[in-house]
Coordinates of all heavy atoms in Angstrom, one line a residue:
S1 N 169.2 -97.3 73.5 CA 170.4 -96.5 73.0 C 170.4 -96.4 71.5 O 170.4 -97.5 70.8 CB 171.7 -97.0 73.5 OG 172.8 -96.4 72.9
T2 N 170.5 -95.2 70.9 CA 170.6 -95.1 69.5 C 172.0 -95.5 68.9 O 172.2 -95.7 67.7 CB 170.3 -93.6 69.0 OG1 171.3 -92.8 69.7 CG2 168.9 -93.2 69.4
N3 N 173.0 -95.7 69.8 CA 174.3 -96.1 69.4 C 174.3 -97.6 69.1 O 175.2 -98.0 68.3 CB 175.3 -95.8 70.5 CG 175.5 -94.3 70.8 OD1 175.4 -93.6 69.8 ND2 175.7 -94.0 72.0
I4 N 173.4 -98.4 69.6 CA 173.4 -99.8 69.3 C 172.7 -100.0 68.0 O 171.6 -99.6 67.8 CB 172.7 -100.6 70.4 CG1 173.4 -100.5 71.8 CG2 172.5 -102.0 70.1 CD1 172.8 -101.2 72.9
K5 N 173.5 -100.7 67.1 CA 172.9 -100.9 65.7 C 172.2 -102.2 65.6 O 171.4 -102.4 64.7 CB 174.1 -100.9 64.7 CG 174.9 -99.6 64.8 CD 174.0 -98.4 64.5 CE 174.8 -97.1 64.5 NZ 174.0 -95.9 64.4
G6 N 172.5 -103.1 66.5 CA 171.8 -104.4 66.5 C 172.4 -105.4 67.5 O 173.1 -104.9 68.4
Y7 N 172.1 -106.6 67.3 CA 172.5 -107.7 68.3 C 173.0 -108.9 67.5 O 172.4 -109.3 66.5 CB 171.4 -108.1 69.2 CG 170.9 -106.9 70.1 CD1 169.9 -106.1 69.7 CD2 171.5 -106.7 71.4 CE1 169.5 -105.0 70.5 CE2 171.1 -105.7 72.2 CZ 170.1 -104.8 71.7 OH 169.7 -103.8 72.5
K8 N 174.1 -109.4 68.0 CA 174.6 -110.7 67.5 C 173.9 -111.8 68.3 O 174.1 -111.8 69.6 CB 176.1 -110.8 67.6 CG 176.7 -112.0 66.8 CD 178.2 -111.9 66.9 CE 178.9 -112.9 66.1 NZ 180.4 -112.8 66.1
V9 N 173.1 -112.6 67.7 CA 172.2 -113.6 68.4 C 172.8 -115.0 68.3 O 173.0 -115.5 67.2 CB 170.8 -113.5 67.9 CG1 169.9 -114.4 68.7 CG2 170.3 -112.1 67.9
Y10 N 172.9 -115.6 69.5 CA 173.4 -117.0 69.6 C 172.2 -117.9 70.1 O 171.6 -117.6 71.1 CB 174.6 -117.1 70.5 CG 175.8 -116.4 70.1 CD1 175.9 -115.0 70.3 CD2 176.9 -117.1 69.6 CE1 177.1 -114.3 69.9 CE2 178.0 -116.4 69.2 CZ 178.1 -115.0 69.4 OH 179.3 -114.4 69.0
D11 N 171.9 -119.0 69.4 CA 170.9 -119.9 69.8 C 171.6 -120.9 70.8 O 172.4 -121.7 70.4 CB 170.4 -120.7 68.6 CG 169.3 -121.6 69.0 OD1 169.1 -122.0 70.2 OD2 168.5 -122.0 68.1
L12 N 171.3 -120.8 72.1 CA 172.1 -121.6 73.1 C 171.7 -123.1 73.1 O 172.5 -123.9 73.6 CB 171.9 -121.0 74.5 CG 172.4 -119.6 74.6 CD1 172.2 -119.1 76.1 CD2 173.9 -119.5 74.2
F13 N 170.6 -123.4 72.5 CA 170.3 -124.8 72.4 C 170.9 -125.4 71.1 O 170.8 -126.7 70.9 CB 168.7 -125.0 72.4 CG 168.1 -125.0 73.8 CD1 167.1 -124.1 74.0 CD2 168.6 -125.8 74.8 CE1 166.5 -124.0 75.3 CE2 168.0 -125.7 76.1 CZ 167.0 -124.8 76.3
E14 N 171.4 -124.6 70.3 CA 172.1 -125.1 69.1 C 173.5 -124.4 69.1 O 173.8 -123.5 68.2 CB 171.3 -124.7 67.8 CG 170.0 -125.3 67.7 CD 170.0 -126.8 67.5 OE1 171.1 -127.3 67.1 OE2 169.0 -127.5 67.7
P15 N 174.4 -124.8 69.9 CA 175.7 -124.1 70.1 C 176.6 -124.1 68.9 O 177.5 -123.3 68.7 CB 176.3 -124.8 71.3 CG 175.6 -126.2 71.4 CD 174.2 -125.9 70.9
K16 N 176.3 -125.1 67.9 CA 177.1 -125.1 66.7 C 176.5 -124.3 65.6 O 177.1 -124.1 64.5 CB 177.2 -126.6 66.2 CG 178.0 -127.5 67.2 CD 178.1 -128.9 66.7 CE 178.9 -129.8 67.6 NZ 179.0 -131.2 67.2
A17 N 175.3 -123.7 65.8 CA 174.7 -122.9 64.8 C 175.4 -121.6 64.7 O 176.0 -121.0 65.6 CB 173.3 -122.6 65.2
V18 N 175.4 -121.0 63.5 CA 176.1 -119.8 63.2 C 175.3 -118.6 63.8 O 174.0 -118.6 63.5 CB 176.3 -119.6 61.7 CG1 176.9 -118.2 61.4 CG2 177.1 -120.7 61.1
P19 N 175.8 -117.7 64.5 CA 175.1 -116.6 65.1 C 174.6 -115.7 64.0 O 175.2 -115.7 62.9 CB 176.1 -115.9 66.0 CG 177.4 -116.3 65.5 CD 177.3 -117.7 65.0
F20 N 173.6 -114.9 64.2 CA 173.0 -114.1 63.2 C 172.8 -112.7 63.8 O 172.7 -112.5 65.0 CB 171.7 -114.6 62.6 CG 170.7 -115.0 63.6 CD1 169.7 -114.0 64.0 CD2 170.7 -116.2 64.3 CE1 168.7 -114.3 64.9 CE2 169.7 -116.5 65.2 CZ 168.7 -115.6 65.5
L21 N 172.7 -111.7 62.9 CA 172.5 -110.3 63.3 C 171.0 -109.9 63.2 O 170.4 -110.1 62.2 CB 173.3 -109.4 62.4 CG 173.4 -107.9 62.8 CD1 174.1 -107.7 64.1 CD2 174.0 -107.1 61.7
V22 N 170.6 -109.2 64.3 CA 169.2 -108.7 64.3 C 169.4 -107.2 64.5 O 170.1 -106.7 65.5 CB 168.4 -109.3 65.5 CG1 167.0 -108.6 65.5 CG2 168.2 -110.8 65.2
R23 N 168.7 -106.4 63.7 CA 168.8 -104.9 63.9 C 168.1 -104.4 65.1 O 167.0 -104.9 65.4 CB 168.3 -104.2 62.6 CG 169.0 -104.6 61.3 CD 170.4 -104.1 61.3 NE 171.2 -104.5 60.1 CZ 172.4 -104.3 59.9 NH1 173.1 -103.6 60.8 NH2 173.1 -104.7 58.9
A24 N 168.7 -103.4 65.7 CA 168.0 -102.8 66.9 C 166.7 -102.1 66.5 O 166.6 -101.6 65.4 CB 168.9 -101.8 67.6
G25 N 165.7 -102.1 67.4 CA 164.5 -101.4 67.1 C 163.6 -102.1 66.2 O 162.5 -101.6 65.8
T26 N 163.9 -103.3 65.7 CA 163.1 -104.1 64.8 C 162.4 -105.2 65.6 O 162.4 -105.2 66.9 CB 163.9 -104.7 63.7 OG1 164.9 -105.6 64.2 CG2 164.6 -103.6 62.9
T27 N 161.8 -106.1 64.9 CA 161.1 -107.3 65.6 C 162.0 -108.5 65.5 O 162.9 -108.6 64.6 CB 159.8 -107.6 64.9 OG1 160.0 -107.9 63.5 CG2 158.8 -106.4 65.1
F28 N 161.8 -109.4 66.4 CA 162.5 -110.7 66.4 C 161.4 -111.8 66.4 O 160.5 -111.7 67.2 CB 163.4 -110.8 67.6 CG 164.1 -112.1 67.8 CD1 165.2 -112.4 67.1 CD2 163.6 -113.1 68.7 CE1 165.9 -113.6 67.2 CE2 164.2 -114.3 68.8 CZ 165.4 -114.6 68.1
E29 N 161.6 -112.8 65.6 CA 160.6 -113.9 65.5 C 161.3 -115.2 65.8 O 162.4 -115.5 65.4 CB 160.1 -113.9 64.0 CG 159.0 -114.9 63.8 CD 158.4 -114.9 62.4 OE1 157.6 -113.9 62.2 OE2 158.7 -115.7 61.6
T30 N 160.5 -116.0 66.6 CA 161.0 -117.3 66.9 C 159.8 -118.3 67.0 O 158.7 -117.8 67.3 CB 161.8 -117.3 68.3 OG1 162.4 -118.6 68.5 CG2 160.9 -117.0 69.5
R31 N 160.1 -119.5 66.8 CA 159.0 -120.5 66.8 C 159.3 -121.5 68.0 O 160.3 -122.2 68.0 CB 159.0 -121.2 65.5 CG 157.7 -122.0 65.2 CD 157.6 -122.4 63.7 NE 156.3 -123.0 63.4 CZ 156.2 -124.2 62.9 NH1 157.3 -125.0 62.6 NH2 155.0 -124.7 62.6
V32 N 158.3 -121.6 68.9 CA 158.5 -122.4 70.1 C 157.6 -123.6 70.1 O 156.4 -123.5 69.9 CB 158.3 -121.5 71.4 CG1 158.8 -122.2 72.6 CG2 158.9 -120.1 71.2
N33 N 158.2 -124.8 70.4 CA 157.4 -126.0 70.5 C 156.5 -126.0 71.7 O 156.7 -125.3 72.7 CB 158.4 -127.2 70.6 CG 159.1 -127.5 69.3 OD1 158.8 -126.9 68.3 ND2 160.1 -128.3 69.4
P34 N 155.4 -126.7 71.6 CA 154.4 -126.8 72.7 C 155.1 -127.2 74.0 O 155.9 -128.2 74.0 CB 153.4 -127.8 72.3 CG 153.5 -127.8 70.8 CD 154.9 -127.5 70.4
S35 N 154.9 -126.4 75.1 CA 155.5 -126.6 76.4 C 157.1 -126.7 76.4 O 157.7 -127.1 77.3 CB 155.0 -127.9 77.1 OG 155.4 -129.1 76.5
G36 N 157.7 -126.1 75.3 CA 159.1 -126.1 75.2 C 159.6 -124.7 75.4 O 159.0 -123.8 76.0
A37 N 160.9 -124.5 75.0 CA 161.5 -123.2 75.2 C 162.6 -123.0 74.2 O 163.3 -124.0 73.8 CB 162.1 -123.0 76.6
N38 N 162.9 -121.7 73.8 CA 164.1 -121.4 73.1 C 164.9 -120.4 73.9 O 164.3 -119.6 74.7 CB 163.7 -120.7 71.7 CG 163.0 -121.6 70.8 OD1 163.0 -122.8 70.9 ND2 162.2 -121.0 69.9
L39 N 166.2 -120.5 73.8 CA 167.1 -119.7 74.7 C 168.2 -119.0 73.8 O 168.9 -119.8 73.1 CB 167.7 -120.5 75.8 CG 168.6 -119.8 76.8 CD1 167.9 -118.7 77.5 CD2 169.2 -120.9 77.7
Y40 N 168.3 -117.7 73.9 CA 169.2 -117.0 73.1 C 170.1 -116.1 73.9 O 169.8 -115.7 75.0 CB 168.5 -116.1 72.0 CG 167.6 -116.9 71.1 CD1 166.2 -117.0 71.4 CD2 168.1 -117.5 70.0 CE1 165.4 -117.7 70.5 CE2 167.2 -118.2 69.1 CZ 165.9 -118.3 69.4 OH 165.1 -119.0 68.6
R41 N 171.3 -115.7 73.3 CA 172.2 -114.7 73.9 C 172.3 -113.6 72.9 O 172.7 -113.8 71.7 CB 173.5 -115.3 74.1 CG 174.5 -114.4 74.9 CD 175.6 -115.2 75.5 NE 176.4 -116.0 74.5 CZ 177.5 -115.5 74.0 NH1 178.0 -114.3 74.3 NH2 178.2 -116.3 73.1
F42 N 171.9 -112.4 73.3 CA 171.9 -111.2 72.5 C 173.1 -110.3 72.9 O 173.1 -109.7 74.0 CB 170.6 -110.4 72.7 CG 169.4 -110.9 71.9 CD1 168.8 -112.2 72.2 CD2 168.8 -110.2 70.9 CE1 167.7 -112.7 71.6 CE2 167.7 -110.7 70.2 CZ 167.2 -111.9 70.5

């Protein structure tokens, strides 16, 4: 949808972390530990 400007992203493994904005249609980068996982709410 062109109406969506972006996403407010919450790091669920770091619930005290400040959420950040990611623009729609762009790339998202994350760094994952070996055999681990990252979990976000967009």
Side-chain angles (χ1 to χ4, degrees):
S1 171
T2 57
N3 293 325
I4 294 179
K5 303 304 180 184
Y7 296 89
K8 192 175 185 180
V9 182
Y10 296 78
D11 184 341
L12 297 184
F13 282 125
E14 298 291 341
K16 295 181 180 179
V18 177
F20 54 94
L21 187 66
V22 175
R23 299 294 175 184
T26 60
T27 59
F28 176 80
E29 186 175 282
T30 188
R31 196 167 187 237
V32 192
N33 290 350
S35 69
N38 296 341
L39 181 60
Y40 300 97
R41 185 161 61 94
F42 281 66

